[in-house]
Amino acid sequence: MDKHLTVYPIASGDMLNIFADNDFGEIRIMDMAGNMVYHDINTIGSKSQVNIKELESATYIIEIVYANQKTARSVFVKT
């Protein structure tokens, strides 16, 4: 997990909040098997809110791609 990336709430219902130290432009959410279940390439800035209402209850990995192409990851649980 990346200390420069904040994702909350960790146990989330419908909305997931994302904050980073740097601007990012891409958000990917993958299930624990590595299958991409959400992808947004139109995100600009260092914060975003993602509607995860349609995701099944499970544990997911969120990956942020920064403007400099570096990535950061975190884990959250969809309840």
Side-chain angles (χ1 to χ4, degrees):
M1 303 315 121
D2 191 304
K3 64 182 177 182
H4 302 286
L5 176 65
T6 303
V7 177
Y8 73 89
I10 298 302
S12 183
D14 292 341
M15 298 303 286
L16 189 66
N17 298 290
I18 306 162
F19 296 92
D21 287 352
N22 298 308
D23 286 347
F24 53 86
E26 188 173 350
I27 300 170
R28 301 175 189 151
I29 298 177
M30 294 152 290
D31 62 19
M32 296 307 284
N35 300 309
M36 192 174 313
V37 296
Y38 177 89
H39 187 218
D40 185 358
I41 59 172
N42 296 316
T43 303
I44 299 173
S46 60
K47 61 184 176 180
S48 184
Q49 193 173 53
V50 177
N51 184 339
I52 58 171
K53 183 177 182 177
E54 300 301 318
L55 295 181
E56 294 182 21
S57 295
T59 301
Y60 294 92
I61 300 167
I62 184 164
E63 182 175 70
I64 302 301
V65 180
Y66 294 110
N68 64 7
Q69 298 304 304
K70 292 187 178 187
T71 62
R73 291 185 179 146
S74 188
V75 175
F76 71 93
V77 177
K78 167 68 166 85
T79 56

